Amino acid sequence: MNKTLVLGVSGGIAAYKAAELTRLLTKAEYTVHCVLTEHAKKFIGPITFATLSGNPVLSGNFEASESGKIQHITLSEIADLILVAPATANIIGKIAHGIADDLLTTLVLASQKQVAVCPAMNLFMWENPATQENIQILQNRGIEIIGPVSGNLACGYEGMGRMEEPEKILEEIHALLVNHRIFSDKKILITAGPTQEPFDPIRFLSNPSSGKMGYALAKAALQFGAKVTLISGPVNLQPPYGAAIIKVKTADEMFAAAEQKFLESDIFISAAAVSDWKPSLFHSEKEKKSGSSKILELVPTPDILALLSRRKKNQILIGFAAETENLEKNALKKLQEKNLDLVVGNLIHWDGKSPFGADENEITLFYKTKLSKSLPRMSKLKIAQIILKEVEQLLINPER
Ligand code: C5P
C-alpha cells in the first residue's frame, strides 16, 4: 500500500501492541512515522518503533525538521492518515477539546487529514460519560473510532476497553484508505440481529442471531462513506459510531421501521434473522405453569424483504440465506422470489460451526445470473467489505 501513516502512540499498557501494529503496517508496505507521547515512552522505548518502522521516532514538542519546517506541519503534510493507537482517555479528551500541548496533539489539531483513533483504557474510564461525550465529539467531526473491544483488561477487570487487535486495525485502516469515498452519496439501510416474538410479557420465540454480521455491514458501509441506518433487533453489541440506529424487538416493528426508511434508501441489506412466525395470541399477563402440555399457535410474520422488494425502484436489495441443506437451490429460489440482486448464503450446522455469534463466517455469494462464488472462512467485517464491493459493481451493472 503506497500510503503514509503517522502512528501516534499514547501512554497506555496497550502501547506494546502498537509495536506489532507498526510491524504489520510496514509489512503491508505503508510508510510509518511514529510519534510517541512522553507517557508512551514510559511504557515502550522509541528504539522499538524506530527499528520496526525504519524511520526516526518523534516525540516531545515543536522541534524543526531538516527542511526547516516544524515537525507537526511536515508530518501532517506527508500523512494520508493519522492513526492514534492506543488512544488513552486523556488523549481522546485532548483531541476532543483542541488541546495541543505536545507534538502528537498539535499534529492532530494542525492536520486536515483523516484521523482514526483506537481507544484503550480501563472499562470505567471508557464508560465514564466524559469519555463517551468526547468520543461522540470525535465521531461528529468525522474521526474514525476503531474499537475498543471487550475482554481482559490490564487493570485486572474484564469488560469494554481493550484496544482492538492489530490485525483488525490494519484491516480497518486499509478499508478506510481504499474505500472511504465509494458510497459518499448513498444511503444504506441494514437490518440486523434476531427478532423476539412474545406470547406473554416475559416469554418469546427467537433465535441465536448475535447481529454481528449486520453490525459489521453497518461499520463497513460507514467506512465506505455511506449514510447508514441500522435497524436492530435485541443484541448485545455497540452500534458503530455514525450509524443512525433504530432498535426494535418484533418482526412487525422491524417491518414498520424498514418500510419507513426503504424508499429513501439506495441499498437495502437484510441481514436480520427475522422470525418467520409469531405466536397468534399475546397474553397481557404471565401465562401460569399448569404442569400439562400447551399448544402454541404460530402465524406468519411479515416477510420484510419480500414485501419491500415489491416496492423496489432503483434500489439494490441483498438478502441472506441461512440454510441447513440445499444451500444453492434455496438461495437461488430466495433470490428470484424476493426479487433480490444478491444473496449471501451460508450453511448452518449444529456441530460447533454455526455462524451465529461467531466473529467469522464462511459464505457463498449467489448472483442473478445463477453464478455463485464461495469465499474462504474470514472475519464478518471482511465479508461485509466484500459484500459492499459487490454492491459497488451492482450499481454499475445491475444485471450482474
Ligand atoms: O425466506 P427466508 O426467511 O429464509 O429469507 C431470508 C432473508 O429474508 C434474509 O435476508 C432475512 O433478513 C429476510 N427476511 C425478512 N423478513 C422475514 C424473514 C426473512 O426480511 N420475515
Side-chain angles (χ1 to χ4, degrees), residues 149-183:
V149 292
S150 191
N152 290 328
L153 303 173
C155 52
Y157 286 98
E158 171 141 5
M160 195 60 117
R162 265 174 79 87
M163 188 171 93
E164 181 58 282
E165 291 307 320
E167 291 81 6
K168 289 247 177 86
I169 297 175
L170 178 70
E171 258 179 36
E172 298 213 17
I173 291 304
H174 195 67
L176 212 60
L177 287 170
V178 174
N179 301 326
H180 74 283
R181 276 191 235 286
I182 294 181
F183 292 140

Side-chain angles (χ1 to χ4, degrees), residues 275-292:
S275 177
D276 292 324
W277 298 277
K278 63 178 178 181
S280 60
L281 287 176
F282 176 75
H283 302 270
S284 54
E285 302 299 337
K286 182 187 169 190
E287 286 285 279
K288 291 280 177 271
K289 182 164 66 180
S290 68
S292 54

Side-chain angles (χ1 to χ4, degrees), residues 186-201:
K186 297 281 179 268
K187 287 186 181 162
I188 305 191
L189 179 63
I190 298 167
T191 61
T195 62
Q196 293 177 349
E197 312 299 334
F199 64 90
D200 76 12

Side-chain angles (χ1 to χ4, degrees), residues 191 251 268-276 301-306 318-323 334 338 340:
T191 61
F268 176 42
I269 307 180
S270 182
V274 187
S275 177
D276 292 324
T301 53
D303 189 324
I304 303 168
L305 191 51
I318 300 189
F320 277 69
E323 300 291 341
K334 230 162 267 190
K338 300 195 188 194
L340 306 179

Side-chain angles (χ1 to χ4, degrees), residues 26-328:
T26 43
K27 196 168 153 224
E29 296 184 351
Y30 286 92
T31 303
V32 183
H33 293 275
C34 297
V35 177
L36 270 58
T37 64
E38 287 305 310
H39 284 132
K41 285 198 278 185
K42 300 209 164 91
F43 287 91
I44 185 163
I47 290 183
T48 306
F49 290 99
T51 312
L52 291 170
S53 69
N55 284 314
V57 170
L58 302 167
S59 63
N61 228 321
F62 318 98
E63 293 148 35
S65 65
E66 279 167 28
S67 67
K69 284 190 180 173
I70 39 183
Q71 279 163 351
H72 58 279
I73 303 295
T74 318
L75 280 178
S76 63
E77 274 171 7
I78 60 171
D80 293 295
L81 178 104
I82 301 172
L83 171 66
V84 185
T88 56
N90 180 50
I91 200 151
I92 288 169
K94 286 200 221 170
I95 296 173
H97 297 281
I99 295 170
D101 62 356
D102 63 3
L103 181 60
L104 181 54
T105 47
T106 308
L107 176 62
V108 175
L109 194 64
S111 174
Q112 292 183 311
K113 301 293 174 62
Q114 204 172 2
V115 177
V117 301
C118 305
M121 65 197 74
N122 159 281
L123 84 150
F124 301 120
M125 288 170 96
W126 172 251
E127 282 170 2
N128 192 304
T131 306
Q132 289 303 310
E133 278 168 29
N134 288 337
I135 286 280
Q136 199 58 57
I137 293 173
L138 265 46
Q139 174 62 36
N140 293 345
R141 289 192 200 133
I143 292 179
E144 185 74 14
I145 316 290
I146 302 174
V149 292
S150 191
N152 290 328
L153 303 173
C155 52
Y157 286 98
E158 171 141 5
M160 195 60 117
R162 265 174 79 87
M163 188 171 93
E164 181 58 282
E165 291 307 320
E167 291 81 6
K168 289 247 177 86
I169 297 175
L170 178 70
E171 258 179 36
E172 298 213 17
I173 291 304
H174 195 67
L176 212 60
L177 287 170
V178 174
N179 301 326
H180 74 283
R181 276 191 235 286
I182 294 181
F183 292 140
S184 53
D185 60 343
K186 297 281 179 268
K187 287 186 181 162
I188 305 191
L189 179 63
I190 298 167
T191 61
T195 62
Q196 293 177 349
E197 312 299 334
F199 64 90
D200 76 12
I202 55 168
R203 301 187 184 97
F204 55 77
L205 189 72
S206 191
N207 63 65
S209 167
S210 65
K212 284 184 180 169
M213 190 63 239
Y215 277 56
L217 278 160
K219 176 153 206 165
L222 289 163
Q223 288 173 343
F224 280 52
K227 265 192 145 119
V228 178
T229 302
L230 177 62
I231 304 175
S232 175
V235 296
N236 222 341
L237 298 173
Q238 175 133 348
Y241 292 101
I245 174 117
I246 304 175
K247 291 188 179 170
V248 296
K249 284 208 169 88
T250 65
D252 286 311
E253 288 167 11
M254 190 173 269
F255 177 56
E259 189 181 30
Q260 211 204 342
K261 293 281 167 192
F262 180 70
L263 285 182
E264 66 182 54
S265 303
D266 302 290
I267 297 145
F268 176 42
I269 307 180
S270 182
V274 187
S275 177
D276 292 324
W277 298 277
K278 63 178 178 181
S280 60
L281 287 176
F282 176 75
H283 302 270
S284 54
E285 302 299 337
K286 182 187 169 190
E287 286 285 279
K288 291 280 177 271
K289 182 164 66 180
S290 68
S292 54
S293 53
K294 184 171 179 66
I295 291 175
L296 191 64
E297 192 195 22
L298 300 175
V299 293
T301 53
D303 189 324
I304 303 168
L305 191 51
L307 287 167
L308 293 183
S309 79
R310 291 189 206 138
R311 301 183 206 167
K312 178 171 172 174
K313 293 213 167 98
N314 295 316
Q315 288 99 336
I316 301 290
L317 257 57
I318 300 189
F320 277 69
E323 300 291 341
T324 54
E325 56 178 356
N326 299 329
L327 179 62
E328 176 164 5

